[in-house]
Amino acid sequence: MSESTPLRPNSPEGRDVASVIHPLTNLKTHLEKGPVVVTEGDGVWVTDIHGKSYIEGMAGLWCISLGYGQERLVEAAADQMRRLPYYHLTNHKSHSPVIDLAEKLLEIAPVPMSKIWFANSGSEGNDSAARIVWYYWSAMGQPERRKIISHRQAYHGNTIASASLSGMHYNHASFGLPLDGFLHVTPPHHYRFAQPGESEDDFATRLADELDALIQAEGPETVGAFFTEPIMGSGGVIVPPPTYFEKVQAVLAKYEILLVADEVITGFARTGNMFGTTTMGLTPDMIVCAKGLSSAYIPISALMVNARVFDAIAAESDRVGIFGLSFTYSGHPVSAAVAREALAIYEDEDIVGHVRRMTPHFQGGLRELLDHPLVGEVRGEGLVAGVELVRDKATHAPFDSDLGIGPFCNQRAEDHGLIVRAIGDTISFCPPLIINQEEIEEMIARFRLALDDTWEKVRGEGLIAAE
Ligand SMILES: Cc1ncc(COP(=O)(O)O)c(C=O)c1O
């Protein structure tokens, strides 16, 4: 809520704290701080209940890629609701919206794919992928291949399996997670984890060796799959070094381990190609998509599986008698119709071309912030980026996390009318893909104000390395 507004019991803010549990929020702090109650959106802008407008520098939760006010998506939903608001896919039933969407996804898939499985969220998509990994290895007569490897700092969602895949402390702490058999390796973040003097290529080799050693130690016959985001989003927008995936994929191929690409953030033009898989040179067996698939206008996720996987699970379902994975809303016709229309908009409006044209302004503009005394690294691809604030630019030394420097900067950005997201002391940006050059410049100008405020605080409190 805005600083000047008290948290009155009958205000929307007061009613919120009295009734709503918020995800990824300190629930105790929220009782005092209250929410920003957002009422409407237009393009890249949102307005709160007090009439204050903000640039939505995060596309919500990395998702409203086509921005607010896309009437074509509204119409697609309304049309489909009138025609057939619900049907399911179980027991040999289907409907046109889901067939149209699956065909389109297979057509634009970045590597050859065989079939599409639908769910309602990125978490369910990854959860389904984990289940399919286990089913696949049962089909192959190797049911002991249940272990799944992903990265520390990865974010793959929040069902029990996808939270286990995630490598975030907050997904695991006090929940008794991860489940056994979910293993995590070092994130491919050169700035933070390279040894002194280590080149990007040497760092990539060391991480691939670490993966190989882990597989050897666990026993290759027990490892089923490796999950990765092409570019890690919620872990701090981590772009792996150029040769990282080539080396990792060589290790996986050696042991016939399945590769699952989590494209929940990177899918649908975010990185300047339709899929991050293309940008980062991956050849996954499965791809999980959500968020931008419907531009977040409606919940839906899609899991692409290749022929290697589909043929095996089809045979296994025949053996078991039925494919036992099911959601009531899998391939919901309204969600499918909206997603199909979103894919048409990506094409009609050449969103990939637009992202490529905007990338130099966005990435270049953010990199100009490297002249700021707080900014240690700016990283990203296309229209997703992270700006890491550090205590000492020479040594990359971070601030003590208890100081909450990133969250402070995040709050100051909000005060200046810009919504970003602090991941520790990395401030992430993921604006709607339809953002224009002027809006990018405005977004960065507002962020510089927040950086200056943060600099004033850390200097005032003597928190920086000696100047
Ligand atoms: C890479 C990635 N995978 C999976 C998820 C989970 O998606 P959802 O929140 O739709 O369940 C997210 C959400 O931020 C994500 O960023």
Side-chain angles (χ1 to χ4, degrees):
M1 74 181 268
S2 80
E3 287 159 321
S4 56
T5 313
L7 200 57
R8 285 175 290 109
N10 289 330
S11 65
E13 292 92 343
R15 288 166 52 213
D16 173 281
V17 301
S19 59
V20 181
I21 299 177
H22 288 258
L24 289 187
T25 300
N26 179 321
L27 300 180
K28 200 77 194 298
T29 308
H30 186 72
L31 297 176
E32 263 89 60
K33 183 173 153 81
V36 173
V37 181
V38 176
T39 51
E40 57 198 289
D42 181 21
V44 302
W45 297 87
V46 291
T47 307
D48 74 16
I49 201 159
H50 303 291
K52 177 170 174 167
S53 58
Y54 307 78
I55 299 179
E56 224 322 336
M58 275 303 292
L61 283 178
W62 325 77
C63 55
I64 184 146
S65 301
L66 297 172
Y68 293 90
Q70 286 284 356
E71 279 303 316
R72 284 176 63 177
L73 300 180
V74 178
E75 287 305 317
D79 276 1
Q80 188 56 46
M81 276 212 180
R82 283 189 201 99
R83 208 183 305 270
L84 182 73
Y86 176 70
Y87 219 80
H88 60 89
L89 305 181
T90 74
N91 204 15
H92 309 286
K93 304 295 187 299
S94 196
H95 48 77
S96 296
V98 83
I99 299 167
D100 291 346
L101 178 60
E103 277 182 354
K104 188 66 193 174
L105 285 168
L106 290 174
E107 179 196 316
I108 65 173
V111 292
M113 286 291 172
S114 173
K115 303 283 182 296
I116 312 289
W117 165 259
F118 290 100
N120 304 291
S121 64
S123 300
E124 283 184 6
N126 279 310
D127 197 288
S128 300
R131 294 272 299 275
I132 289 176
V133 166
W134 295 334
Y135 207 77
Y136 169 87
W137 285 112
S138 293
M140 302 304 288
Q142 299 178 58
E144 64 286 359
R145 278 206 181 222
R146 293 184 62 80
K147 291 178 189 163
I148 301 183
I149 304 175
S150 53
H151 293 104
R152 291 196 294 281
Q153 286 177 235
Y155 187 71
H156 294 296
N158 249 307
T159 61
I160 291 175
S162 60
S164 296
L165 282 167
S166 296
M168 300 289 199
H169 169 73
Y170 59 74
N171 290 137
H172 299 159
S174 307
F175 290 115
L177 293 175
L179 295 177
D180 284 349
F182 286 84
L183 311 166
H184 299 91
V185 289
T186 303
H189 187 190
H190 183 265
Y191 180 81
R192 196 43 67 219
F193 298 115
Q195 288 164 356
E198 193 175 37
S199 71
E200 284 200 312
D201 189 50
D202 288 345
F203 175 62
T205 303
R206 180 161 62 79
L207 263 49
D209 289 347
E210 178 197 329
L211 175 65
D212 202 332
L214 176 68
I215 294 166
Q216 284 288 346
E218 294 290 329
E221 70 289 350
T222 68
V223 180
F226 181 74
F227 278 58
T228 188
E229 299 158 83
I231 290 172
M232 295 173 66
S234 302
V237 189
I238 298 169
V239 184
T243 56
Y244 174 72
F245 281 126
E246 182 189 313
K247 294 174 197 282
V248 161
Q249 288 179 110
V251 173
L252 301 177
K254 195 160 72 170
Y255 304 111
E256 298 181 333
I257 292 170
L258 293 169
L259 173 60
V260 182
D262 178 347
E263 291 254 20
V264 169
I265 287 179
T266 52
F268 310 104
R270 176 58 63 190
T271 66
N273 289 297
M274 205 52 180
F275 291 93
T277 285
T278 307
T279 305
M280 302 308 292
L282 290 164
T283 40
D285 298 290
M286 291 191 253
I287 297 178
V288 184
C289 312
K291 298 193 189 265
L293 171 58
S294 63
S295 185
Y297 275 59
I298 199 155
I300 183 167
S301 59
L303 169 62
M304 304 176 174
V305 305
N306 68 9
R308 170 186 175 189
V309 172
F310 180 75
D311 292 350
I313 66 171
E316 187 66 4
S317 79
D318 190 37
R319 200 184 63 74
V320 173
I322 203 165
F323 184 52
L325 195 54
S326 168
F327 303 115
T328 298
Y329 302 129
S330 179
H332 190 287
V334 179
S335 305
V338 172
R340 180 66 191 86
E341 190 65 9
L343 296 184
I345 297 174
Y346 284 104
E347 264 176 23
D348 295 349
E349 299 190 5
D350 184 23
I351 298 294
V352 168
H354 178 73
V355 169
R356 289 181 183 174
R357 285 187 293 279
M358 290 303 110
T359 293
H361 304 294
F362 176 69
Q363 298 289 348
L366 286 175
R367 275 166 181 75
E368 282 173 19
L369 297 171
L370 283 166
D371 69 3
H372 195 280
L374 273 179
V375 176
E377 189 185 38
V378 178
R379 46 186 187 260
E381 280 286 334
L383 293 185
V384 59
V387 176
E388 184 160 342
L389 313 185
V390 291
R391 191 172 63 80
D392 186 336
K393 288 170 69 131
T395 63
H396 306 184
F399 290 100
D400 185 336
S401 61
D402 290 346
L403 295 170
I405 300 303
F408 177 85
C409 185
N410 184 97
Q411 181 59 51
R412 296 304 294 146
E414 210 166 284
D415 296 341
H416 291 298
L418 168 64
I419 296 179
V420 288
R421 193 170 191 85
I423 301 168
D425 291 340
T426 294
I427 309 299
S428 51
F429 291 80
C430 187
L433 302 175
I434 46 121
I435 195 167
N436 63 32
Q437 185 180 339
E438 206 184 337
E439 290 162 339
I440 288 173
E441 286 164 5
E442 181 62 27
M443 180 171 72
I444 295 174
R446 290 181 185 207
F447 181 56
R448 198 178 263 279
L449 296 177
L451 276 178
D452 290 344
D453 295 344
T454 310
W455 177 238
E456 208 174 292
K457 171 190 163 73
V458 299
R459 263 179 64 151
E461 296 177 13
L463 304 174
I464 40 163
E467 284 178 85

